[in-house]
Amino acid sequence: MDTPSSSPYGTYVIAVRGFVAPFEIGVYAYEHGRRQRLRIDLRLTVRRTAPRFTDDVATVLSYEGLVAALETLSEGPHIQLLESLADRIGDLCLSDPRVVEAEVSIEKPHVFPQIDAAGVTIAYRR
């Protein structure tokens, strides 16, 4: 049976690690109207469309587009939950039909003085 993730050529992984930008995010009143730095990591499993890579960026999923999309999201309106932001990013990742899985991790660094970061990791699949 042919599934969206099946490919006779297998898959490859695109990773974006350590994207850091200020977002307006949080549920508390003091978090509204101000931006907080978030760290975002992405891991996308991509269906290969050919048996060999042709050394042409047009034939692969480019991480440059992912970074640009994250920058655009960072400039958006207030979001209450990290989980909601992760869903938006997950939708963005799955908007390319070649992506069969995406893992989105978001951290708020130093949200409490006794920890390095608090965050969420969510996996998305077709």
Side-chain angles (χ1 to χ4, degrees):
M1 179 162 115
D2 203 28
T3 65
S5 63
S6 67
S7 167
Y9 310 117
T11 60
Y12 63 100
V13 173
I14 294 287
V16 173
R17 292 191 187 105
F19 175 86
V20 177
F23 285 75
E24 191 173 322
I25 192 160
V27 297
Y28 299 108
Y30 67 84
E31 294 176 301
H32 288 253
R34 67 183 267 272
R35 297 197 170 275
Q36 300 179 63
R37 288 171 53 93
L38 298 182
R39 178 190 161 107
I40 299 172
D41 296 326
L42 305 178
R43 186 179 190 282
L44 284 67
T45 302
V46 183
R47 187 177 345 102
R48 290 185 67 165
T49 58
R52 305 285 296 164
F53 291 104
T54 61
D55 206 28
D56 178 359
V57 71
T59 65
V60 297
L61 180 65
S62 172
Y63 50 81
E64 183 178 14
L66 294 169
V67 171
L70 291 174
E71 287 174 343
T72 298
L73 276 175
S74 75
E75 298 165 0
H78 186 90
I79 299 170
Q80 296 223 84
L81 300 173
L82 293 177
E83 293 84 352
S84 297
L85 178 57
D87 280 349
R88 291 179 190 187
I89 296 169
D91 289 345
L92 181 140
C93 293
L94 293 178
S95 68
D96 187 303
R98 297 171 293 179
V99 176
V100 295
E101 274 185 15
E103 184 177 278
V104 177
S105 295
I106 307 173
E107 292 182 335
K108 273 187 175 183
H110 310 295
V111 67
F112 299 112
Q114 63 271 44
I115 63 172
D116 287 336
V120 63
T121 298
I122 303 175
Y124 301 89
R125 292 180 186 86
R126 288 198 190 281

